[in-house]
Amino acid sequence: MSKIKAIRGMNDILPSQTPVWQYLEKQVKETLASYGYDEIRTPVVEQTDLFKRSIGEVTDIVEKEMYTFLDRNEESLTLRPEGTASCVRAGEEHGLLFNQTQRLWYQGPMFRYEKPQKGRYRQFHQIGVETFGMASADIDAELIMLSARLWRKLGILDAVTLQLNSLGSLESRQAYKQALVEYLAEREDQLDEDSKRRLGTNPLRILDSKVESTQRLLEDAPVLTEYLDDESRQHFQTLTDLLDQAGISYEINPKLVRGLDYYCKTVFEWVTDKLGAQGTVCAGGRYDGLVQQLGGRATPAVGFAMGVERLVLLLETLDVVPAAERASFDLYLAAEQKGLQGEVMAIAEAMRDQISGLRVRTHCAGLKNINSKARQTGARYIVLIGRGDDSEGLVAKLWGEDELIATVPLNEIVNTVTKHWAV
């Protein structure tokens, strides 16, 4: 029989890879906790209409990329392609949004039928942050400061650049869209095929085009900032003032529009030039109309999402993950002679009881080549238990980085490891 393989674009994350994922997730959780954000967990499957109404029916995601199917009750369901709509749905359904303020975050897999490439998969993972009930620019600034703190903590701040723009209100955005369509319609024969299609469906996405001829054509096109309403202009000015005061550098990118229909006012992306074409590692913005659009009462909201695969790739590319975090355990414990496995397992349990955070792996595969096998694991410490001279009884040898640290009676090894672990 032929072997069954993973579906294209839906990748296994192997034991050699998960330590970096866990390191990233740990830093994210600690950073979010320091700002007082609460975790929310939502299903991976939602009603299809949730995404049609939120993302927009004429977006690439809804038209071409969603995994949609009929269940046994002939109800159209979709594997979530992004997390914001699900978070809004859950918040509204459980009475968390109206006349309240919320700071929420979530993590998990998302699904889009895209061409798989390095850093972009059909099942991909996001960590999202969403806030509700706060209309002023200070919460926009907090989200950006939070993400900047995370990059600093991860050691990648110098490798990412913050890009900002304002989409204005729905009315000002519509006015700009009309002006852009009029400009491009007169030059439609010069557009690439994809941009021609978007001209009648989602013209703002033409600003994102990677085709050089289209970008040259856009050099003389109307600029979104010229159509901003006064309130949006003031909101954006307040945001940039707050970022200036916080010492966070940024670039204003008037072509940054994001790919989802629900955005308004602030939009931002953290981008890097270290990963080739897949340069965006975090993106978000304000979506004040989405809660009402999905049946709730008008609620201001702003959030962002991080691409976990791309961040992991960036961490690995820059080699900034501490070596200790790459290992799945800290100490390898083994017996040097037969008949000592009971002592080995008892000592392992005592270490787990006494040394908080110590990750211990016991050897359970016979005694052949045990010394070399222990060293091949890459553990920070190795403890080998064996019989000493008749007068010594059982002894334990503590090794670290190919160096014998101590040889002690078995009943002293837990305290010996504790002393060195604390250093």
Side-chain angles (χ1 to χ4, degrees), residues 149-282:
R149 179 176 293 274
L150 176 61
W151 311 148
R152 191 179 306 112
K153 191 172 185 179
L154 291 169
I156 63 173
L157 183 58
D158 291 340
V160 294
T161 300
L162 174 63
Q163 294 188 351
L164 292 177
N165 195 21
S166 176
L167 300 181
S169 65
L170 178 61
E171 293 74 19
S172 60
R173 188 174 173 182
Q174 286 298 117
Y176 171 68
K177 186 185 295 186
Q178 181 178 344
L180 181 64
V181 169
E182 290 174 358
Y183 171 83
L184 292 175
E186 295 176 356
R187 300 160 178 81
E188 185 173 356
D189 59 326
Q190 302 176 51
L191 291 172
D192 62 274
E193 290 304 314
D194 197 41
S195 295
K196 287 179 181 178
R197 179 182 61 82
R198 286 174 168 169
L199 186 60
T201 57
N202 198 353
L204 293 186
R205 289 309 310 277
I206 297 175
L207 299 176
D208 282 337
S209 174
K210 301 300 186 291
V211 180
E212 290 186 11
S213 59
T214 298
Q215 282 300 322
R216 288 196 297 271
L217 190 64
L218 290 168
E219 290 177 0
D220 297 322
V223 180
L224 179 57
T225 53
E226 297 173 356
Y227 290 81
L228 291 183
D229 55 288
D230 290 341
E231 181 187 353
S232 297
R233 199 181 302 277
Q234 182 58 52
H235 186 100
F236 194 64
Q237 183 63 55
T238 302
L239 171 61
T240 55
D241 288 346
L242 289 170
L243 295 179
D244 290 339
Q245 291 176 35
I248 296 176
S249 59
Y250 54 86
E251 297 175 355
I252 295 178
N253 179 1
K255 294 180 181 178
L256 178 61
V257 295
R258 305 293 302 129
L260 308 178
D261 277 358
Y262 52 62
Y263 284 114
C264 66
K265 292 184 179 177
T266 305
V267 288
F268 64 91
E269 290 187 359
W270 287 95
V271 299
T272 181
D273 60 2
K274 308 299 183 183
L275 300 178
Q278 299 305 317
T280 302
V281 296
C282 174

Side-chain angles (χ1 to χ4, degrees), residues 114 118-121 125 272 275 277-281 307-315:
E114 298 183 288
K118 194 172 185 179
R120 174 181 286 178
Y121 305 106
H125 296 77
T272 181
L275 300 178
Q278 299 305 317
T280 302
V281 296
V308 178
E309 280 85 355
R310 292 185 190 178
L311 281 171
V312 166
L313 186 58
L314 183 58
L315 292 175

